Amino acid sequence: MRLCSRTTPYTHSWWTRPLCGCTSTRAARAKNGPQALGRSRGSLCSKVHVVADARGRLGRGCLTAGHRHDAPQARPLLEGLAPAYLLAERGYDADPLGASLVARGTCAVIPPRRKRPHPRAYDATRYAQRHLVERLFSRLKQYRPVATHYDQLDVHFLAFIHVAATVRWLRDC
């Protein structure tokens, strides 16, 4: 999901259009502790939800089990941001999220789910800019521990995602 912001708590000019989205990685179970694992289409996996800037660099992230819905994760990730537009994939199309975006004055650019009885309109031209968050996931999955989910504890896995994102951030500078 991608955001175009009016005002944000960040002072850098590149943060004016943050992005948000999710991807999943498969994992094996074994360790004790919180693992954020869930069955999705037959195997254990985790979902990574992120907010990224206009250059496709990680800003915030969280980890959930693979069977959890995407839309409830958007609210905590967007907390403290005041975007003018929110670009997100179909998984984030939910009435509670749409209502909270309208309440804060954000225009949702989310394609409706195919089975929605009354599909809402969205700006397809603006939605095409969501490719930046997909490129972020592609770059993060170039790191083997992220792609193969070596770290089974969710704290360790999310920490390595942040390390990989920091390395990518420094390479872009």
Side-chain angles (χ1 to χ4, degrees), residues 2-76:
R2 180 175 178 215
L3 305 167
C4 296
S5 179
R6 286 189 296 261
T7 58
T8 62
Y10 303 95
T11 58
H12 303 292
S13 62
W14 50 261
W15 191 261
T16 58
R17 293 184 330 216
L19 310 161
C20 218
C22 83
T23 188
S24 63
T25 57
R26 299 194 186 273
R29 60 186 142 149
K31 303 281 182 184
N32 294 331
Q35 296 183 23
L37 294 175
R39 289 226 178 257
S40 178
R41 297 187 181 200
S43 65
L44 293 173
C45 65
S46 297
K47 284 186 183 177
V48 181
H49 304 269
V50 300
V51 172
D53 67 7
R55 292 184 180 177
R57 298 181 299 192
L58 180 69
R60 298 178 183 176
C62 71
L63 197 62
T64 60
H67 64 280
R68 298 281 180 215
H69 196 271
D70 296 343
Q73 310 313 317
R75 279 186 176 170

Side-chain angles (χ1 to χ4, degrees), residues 110-126:
I110 304 171
R113 292 184 310 250
R114 288 187 172 94
K115 294 186 178 183
R116 185 178 265 282
H118 304 289
R120 56 181 113 149
Y122 72 100
D123 185 359
T125 306
R126 208 179 286 274

Side-chain angles (χ1 to χ4, degrees), residues 84-106:
Y85 296 94
L86 170 69
L87 282 68
E89 56 195 24
R90 287 183 206 276
Y92 291 93
D93 180 31
D95 291 332
L97 177 61
S100 69
L101 292 173
V102 168
R104 67 165 71 178
T106 300

Side-chain angles (χ1 to χ4, degrees), residues 126-139:
R126 208 179 286 274
Y127 181 74
Q129 296 300 313
R130 211 185 65 76
H131 70 90
L132 292 170
V133 75
E134 297 301 333
R135 290 173 59 193
L136 167 66
F137 288 130
S138 174
R139 281 190 236 121

